[in-house]
Amino acid sequence: KTHKFWETQPVGQFKDIGDTSLPEGPIEPATPLSEVKQEPYNLPSVYEWTTCDMNSDDMCSEVYNLLKNNYVEDDENMFRFNYSKEFLRWALRPPGYYQSWHIGVRAKTSKKLVAFISGVPARIRVRDEVVKMAEINFLCVHKKLRSKRLAPVMIKEVTRRVHLENIWQAAYTAGVVLPTPITTCQYWHRSLNPKKLIDVGFSRLGARMTMSRTIKLYKLPDAPITPGFRKMEPRDVPAVTRLLRNYLSQFGVATDFDENDVEHWLLPREDVVDSYLVESPETHDVTDFCSFYTLPSTILGNPNYTTLKAAYSYYNVATQTSFLQLMNDALIVSKQKGFDVFNALDVMHNESFLKELKFGPGDGQLHYYLYNYRLKSALKPSELGLVLL
Ligand SMILES: CCCCCCCCCCCCCC(=O)CSCCNC(=O)CCNC(=O)[C@H](O)C(C)(C)COP(=O)(O)OP(=O)(O)OC[C@H]1O[C@@H](n2cnc3c(N)ncnc32)[C@H](O)[C@@H]1OP(=O)(O)O
Ligand SMILES: CCOC(=O)c1cnc2ccc(OC)cc2c1SCCC#N
């Protein structure tokens, strides 16, 4: 398979896999800002660039609707991600964000938003180096404008705008294989509403299993069982930051969270992100932490259901409570909140609870990528401490 665009980019190339003579680190050097292309890349003449102000309700609605109708679907076209407006505002406006990295393409005549790509700043530690990066996400071209080589132009334009802020690396994920993954992760799914998952055709009744037997198999208590398990509050930010930084320090690639980041990314936001911690009843220390984000999907072509309510495992740390018990409490609260399924990647130490807590492996893979940064050797998913939305 040739990659006409990606073969021109400073990314690990397939031909270089296994070449240990190539040094770890940036592939191309930073360039002086004066040498960065000052004007936007050319679009086909019927289109124009637009910068999306996510604070504007109209603009946010345009991005929301473009993604709702044209963003990622699973291979069987059973689901399409349906990120909410509030989720997009959260995902795109972290501390230090640049509105100029929220890039849209409009049709000149109709003024309709037909494409989008976004970046947000992040500090990512790669082994012992903390690198300022852009996290690229929500790349979307309207279904009617596919296979016209618009994506490479979108990618070059966001790259140009990131360069203008003197940032030279990026991190991104994709379900497709591109040059060259730093690791490849597996999705796992824990049924919370097995009847719905069977009705939509995602799950099938096991052999010799009845529906009532299946419902019983996935049944969960009505309340978390860990003493001191409670929602995270603003006063917990310093303790959660300490807990998280210490936990993430063991992974080869991980987010370098500070208190500002923790406040944004991990404080609970209704229908966006949920976070819980264990405060020791004796010492009042914060000993454990778990979190998940809310990402519904449109159920495609089903007469009885429109939306799948899915929770996605985010960052979890167990130091006193068993990781199994902590994550089971996460399942319990997500069930109580009405989620149909709890999804998790096999990153960090997640493998240790997946089978035990009745997760089943998905058929989708998620590939992680770095832009303009070479790793000497690929990572195992268990060496990755980075969850992108
Ligand atoms: C220092 C800062 C650097 C920042 C930038 C870092 C890099 C950021 C990179 C972006 C990270 C995004 C992360 C992210 O958002 C999370 S992954 C989700 C991506 N979005 C979707 O899947 C939504 C539905 N699909 C679409 O909208 C279109 O199919 C898209 C727009 C995906 C491609 O539009 P299209 O009409 O189907 O295709 P053409 O325009 O004709 O272009 C074909 C070329 O695009 C390459 N392609 C296809 N899918 C890709 C993907 N997911 N990443 C990167 N490249 C992708 C493909 O390999 C080919 O290049 P090649 O010929 O070389 O193989
Ligand atoms: C029931 C389990 O599957 C999903 O939750 C789900 C939902 N919506 C999607 C939309 C696009 C999509 O495209 C890859 C996948 C899904 C998936 S499976 C992979 C995500 C996880 N976990």
Side-chain angles (χ1 to χ4, degrees):
K1 199 171 174 323
T2 62
H3 290 282
K4 283 283 160 261
F5 167 68
W6 281 107
E7 281 157 15
T8 70
Q9 296 298 293
V11 292
Q13 297 296 331
F14 292 141
K15 64 179 172 53
D16 296 333
I17 291 177
D19 183 347
T20 52
S21 74
L22 296 166
E24 182 148 304
I27 294 166
E28 282 178 352
T31 61
L33 295 198
S34 55
E35 287 180 28
V36 177
K37 190 174 185 309
Q38 298 299 303
E39 66 288 340
Y41 280 90
N42 286 336
L43 281 166
S45 61
V46 294
Y47 303 122
E48 64 190 12
W49 295 112
T50 187
T51 297
C52 299
D53 173 5
M54 297 305 287
N55 304 311
S56 140
D57 198 52
D58 291 349
M59 192 81 244
C60 186
S61 293
E62 285 191 275
V63 174
Y64 167 76
N65 283 306
L66 175 75
L67 297 175
K68 178 182 174 58
N69 298 316
N70 302 279
Y71 201 48
V72 190
E73 299 174 15
D74 66 297
D75 290 344
E76 290 162 41
N77 308 105
M78 190 181 294
F79 304 119
R80 182 166 56 238
F81 288 133
N82 180 19
Y83 288 89
S84 72
K85 284 168 67 174
E86 276 318 302
F87 189 108
L88 293 170
R89 285 202 177 100
W90 170 65
L92 296 177
R93 295 184 307 164
Y97 80 94
Y98 304 93
Q99 190 167 296
S100 61
W101 295 8
H102 303 160
I103 306 169
V105 173
R106 291 188 187 285
K108 275 177 184 162
T109 47
S110 68
K111 296 299 176 197
K112 287 215 176 301
L113 190 71
V114 296
F116 183 75
I117 189 166
S118 71
V120 294
R123 277 184 329 285
I124 309 275
R125 181 181 49 76
V126 185
R127 305 225 208 264
D128 300 333
E129 294 291 314
V130 176
V131 182
K132 278 221 72 170
M133 296 197 188
E135 288 176 357
I136 307 300
N137 208 345
F138 307 113
L139 167 61
C140 185
V141 166
H142 193 284
K143 283 169 176 269
K144 293 204 173 79
L145 304 176
R146 298 281 171 84
S147 307
K148 296 172 177 291
R149 308 301 292 182
L150 267 177
V153 181
M154 312 265 309
I155 294 164
K156 287 189 291 189
E157 182 59 17
V158 74
T159 301
R160 187 186 72 85
R161 297 190 191 192
V162 171
H163 285 166
L164 288 173
E165 304 299 342
N166 199 25
I167 292 173
W168 306 94
Q169 275 71 39
Y172 52 104
T173 61
V176 293
V177 178
L178 305 163
T180 298
I182 61 164
T183 193
T184 295
C185 305
Q186 194 83 32
Y187 280 113
W188 288 72
H189 315 292
R190 208 284 186 185
S191 293
L192 301 173
N193 183 349
K195 180 173 183 326
K196 181 170 177 179
L197 295 180
I198 289 166
D199 288 352
V200 305
F202 176 80
S203 307
R204 284 183 309 288
L205 261 189
R208 295 186 303 284
M209 290 282 282
T210 60
M211 185 60 84
S212 70
R213 176 91 183 72
T214 303
I215 291 166
K216 201 175 298 182
L217 172 69
Y218 291 110
K219 194 149 179 46
L220 290 161
D222 290 341
I225 69 167
T226 307
F229 188 91
R230 64 171 172 80
K231 282 193 71 153
M232 182 184 176
E233 299 167 17
R235 63 189 169 97
D236 303 309
V237 165
V240 168
T241 305
R242 274 192 298 277
L243 203 62
L244 199 49
R245 288 186 63 83
N246 186 48
Y247 178 71
L248 293 175
S249 65
Q250 66 189 295
F251 302 110
V253 171
T255 311
D256 184 63
F257 283 119
D258 65 17
E259 288 190 8
N260 239 356
D261 303 316
V262 169
E263 184 175 20
H264 178 81
W265 292 119
L266 295 168
L267 275 180
R269 290 175 188 234
E270 194 176 1
D271 295 332
V272 171
V273 58
D274 288 278
S275 52
Y276 297 86
L277 52 80
V278 178
E279 176 182 338
S280 160
E282 292 83 46
T283 67
H284 297 290
D285 287 341
V286 174
T287 56
D288 314 277
F289 175 80
C290 65
S291 59
F292 52 88
Y293 59 86
T294 298
L295 171 49
S297 283
T298 303
I299 299 171
L300 303 170
N302 187 291
N304 307 321
Y305 297 94
T306 52
T307 301
L308 178 81
K309 208 180 167 199
Y312 288 74
S313 178
Y314 200 26
Y315 289 95
N316 310 296
V317 187
T319 69
Q320 299 302 312
T321 305
S322 90
F323 200 27
L324 276 178
Q325 181 175 309
L326 179 71
M327 293 310 296
N328 200 56
D329 279 345
L331 292 177
I332 291 166
V333 293
S334 62
K335 169 70 179 175
Q336 290 314 306
K337 284 170 163 283
F339 287 96
D340 298 319
V341 64
F342 190 99
N343 295 324
L345 289 162
D346 56 357
V347 297
M348 296 181 269
H349 295 152
N350 290 356
E351 227 178 331
S352 68
F353 65 73
L354 293 169
K355 290 190 180 114
E356 188 95 22
L357 296 186
K358 299 180 182 131
F359 285 73
D363 52 19
Q365 291 189 312
L366 190 68
H367 309 280
Y368 277 74
Y369 301 94
L370 294 179
Y371 185 96
N372 194 22
Y373 204 94
R374 192 192 314 279
L375 283 191
K376 266 191 155 333
S377 58
L379 297 175
K380 291 177 281 189
S382 58
E383 294 170 323
L384 186 67
L386 176 63
V387 177
L388 299 188
L389 302 170

